[in-house]
Amino acid sequence: MCTAINKNTSSSHFFGRNLDFNFNYDESIVIVPNNYPIKFKHLPTMNYHYPIMGIGIIQDDYPFFFDCINDQGLAFAGLNFPNNAKFFDVDESKINVAPYELPLYFLSQFKNVKQVKEQLKKINIANTPFSNKLPLATLHYIIADKNECIVIEQTKDGLFVYDNPYGVLTNNPPFTYHIANLSNYMNITNKEVINRFAPNLELDIYGKALGAIGLPGDSSPTSRFVKATFLLNNIRFNNDDDFNVNQMLHILNNVSTLKGETLLSDNSEEVTIYSSMYNLDQKQLFIRTYENNQISKFSLDSIDFSKNKLIQISIPRKENYYIIQAD
């Protein structure tokens, strides 16, 4: 389970996600400098490209990203899409890209979603694993820039690209279901309610937030999609980047999963491993882990791009308390 959100505010463009899983990948901040050779299974090696920053792991000198951005302001995240994602055999009439290659393929060479959408007309997401030890993850994808946001889903019926003005992606069912389902919640409001139930009856407003009764609060994908969409499109943003980062992380906190809340068939716990938030204009990454509520900040500007090797930076995981001293 995962939730991704995208918002262009008056201050900056923000993109982030919760990574929910039943074990920790020991993920870290990974940087791909612009002269690090990127190898593809069915395409030539790319020796020079846009630099990429994100959260992921490195396996055999290859970066596997869960979410990432490039220095042009393009963002990418993959989310679990089991039993629906379908990857096809290599098609010689198409550009064949393995699923795990998609973040590197798009962010290495494209500046915006418009270019990505045009390229997707030529692409086949091929069922080519990285190795026999690493099977393909069944995912669908969200890609965003300052002006557009899209969802990519390849199912048994083909490759589909959906415009995503809602700015949210979760997991199953397919994206079209989530959009249709939003219509069930059209009466929900963040404003004070009026009596539509029976206007001839004198009904009392006995508390705050009565307009949000019926807004889902569980951790299912459909409920997280509805709640994240409601919050993203109703809460307040302003001209302050720090305030807006905080607001975005609060949204992710509202759709996070706690230890013990969701048990799987093997009795393992689904949990929000981390919440990441990117400022695509400032090329900054903010991250908070389950074990450490303090927000850590990293800037792409701090990287020496003269290096031609992958850069890996650990994420603080131990709770870091601010100690208040008595006067």
Side-chain angles (χ1 to χ4, degrees):
M1 302 195 300
C2 297
T3 305
I5 56 176
N6 176 70
K7 184 73 174 182
N8 188 26
T9 73
S10 57
S11 69
S12 291
H13 174 204
F14 299 96
F15 179 92
R17 63 96 55 82
N18 284 342
L19 181 76
D20 303 338
F21 213 67
N22 61 332
F23 65 85
N24 197 312
Y25 284 95
D26 197 25
E27 63 281 341
S28 58
I29 299 171
V30 176
I31 312 294
V32 184
N34 48 14
N35 58 353
Y36 180 81
I38 299 176
K39 297 179 180 179
F40 298 98
K41 290 288 188 179
H42 306 289
L43 298 168
T45 296
M46 189 174 294
N47 291 307
Y48 194 81
H49 48 79
Y50 297 131
I52 302 169
M53 168 179 73
I55 307 299
I57 60 174
I58 297 175
Q59 177 76 32
D60 297 333
D61 296 323
Y62 190 91
F64 291 84
F65 281 111
F66 303 127
D67 46 90
C68 52
I69 66 170
N70 67 13
D71 71 338
Q72 302 297 305
L74 187 63
F76 178 101
L79 287 78
N80 201 22
F81 194 45
N83 303 318
N84 277 309
K86 171 70 175 177
F87 307 128
F88 301 120
D89 293 338
V90 170
D91 183 347
E92 297 298 342
S93 68
K94 296 276 191 178
I95 297 172
N96 294 283
V97 184
Y100 65 87
E101 296 175 336
L102 288 173
L104 292 173
Y105 179 80
F106 288 128
L107 270 59
S108 63
Q109 57 186 320
F110 298 120
K111 296 181 178 181
N112 53 50
V113 170
K114 182 179 179 181
Q115 292 177 339
V116 171
K117 288 169 75 172
E118 191 63 31
Q119 192 71 4
L120 279 165
K121 297 174 183 177
K122 312 170 190 176
I123 284 178
N124 170 51
I125 306 179
N127 59 358
T128 308
F130 180 77
S131 69
N132 293 332
K133 296 180 181 179
L134 289 175
L136 293 176
T138 51
L139 306 175
H140 58 176
Y141 314 94
I142 180 171
I143 302 181
D145 64 18
K146 198 167 193 172
N147 301 307
E148 291 185 85
C149 180
I150 59 172
V151 168
I152 303 168
E153 292 181 345
Q154 187 167 282
T155 68
K156 61 181 178 59
D157 297 317
L159 178 62
F160 298 92
V161 181
Y162 303 104
D163 290 328
N164 184 6
Y166 317 92
V168 176
L169 185 63
T170 57
N171 312 106
N172 287 332
F175 186 66
T176 50
Y177 177 93
H178 288 294
I179 302 313
N181 184 50
L182 288 177
S183 297
N184 292 320
Y185 301 90
M186 290 172 64
N187 277 322
I188 288 180
T189 178
N190 60 349
K191 298 179 174 62
E192 196 167 89
V193 296
I194 61 173
N195 179 11
R196 292 191 179 94
F197 176 76
N200 58 310
L201 300 178
E202 293 186 7
L203 302 180
D204 293 329
I205 298 176
Y206 59 82
K208 305 297 184 183
L210 299 185
I213 290 177
L215 184 66
D218 61 87
S219 291
S220 66
T222 50
S223 293
R224 284 183 285 109
F225 191 98
V226 172
K227 188 168 189 183
T229 302
F230 176 80
L231 294 173
L232 188 66
N233 290 278
N234 282 282
I235 70 170
R236 181 169 60 87
F237 295 91
N238 61 24
N239 293 320
D240 185 333
D241 276 354
D242 290 336
F243 177 85
N244 293 334
V245 166
N246 227 327
Q247 289 287 78
M248 293 289 280
L249 286 170
H250 277 302
I251 293 175
L252 291 178
N253 192 52
N254 266 268
V255 290
S256 65
T257 302
L258 307 180
K259 288 184 176 180
E261 179 183 354
T262 304
L263 299 181
L264 305 184
S265 58
D266 61 358
N267 217 36
S268 63
E269 299 172 320
E270 187 90 1
V271 63
T272 297
I273 305 290
Y274 70 79
S275 300
S276 61
M277 186 56 54
Y278 298 88
N279 182 328
L280 276 76
D281 295 328
Q282 302 299 324
K283 313 304 182 294
Q284 295 169 337
L285 165 63
F286 304 83
I287 186 164
R288 182 180 58 203
T289 68
Y290 193 91
E291 301 84 6
N292 181 10
N293 278 290
Q294 185 181 61
I295 301 170
S296 299
K297 177 181 177 181
F298 177 80
S299 176
L300 192 60
D301 292 337
S302 64
I303 292 298
D304 178 6
F305 287 111
S306 65
K307 300 177 180 179
N308 62 349
K309 62 180 182 179
L310 295 175
I311 300 168
Q312 193 169 18
I313 302 167
S314 62
I315 299 168
R317 296 188 184 277
K318 185 177 180 181
E319 193 69 74
N320 186 14
Y321 296 106
Y322 178 83
I323 306 300
I324 301 175
Q325 302 287 351
D327 293 334

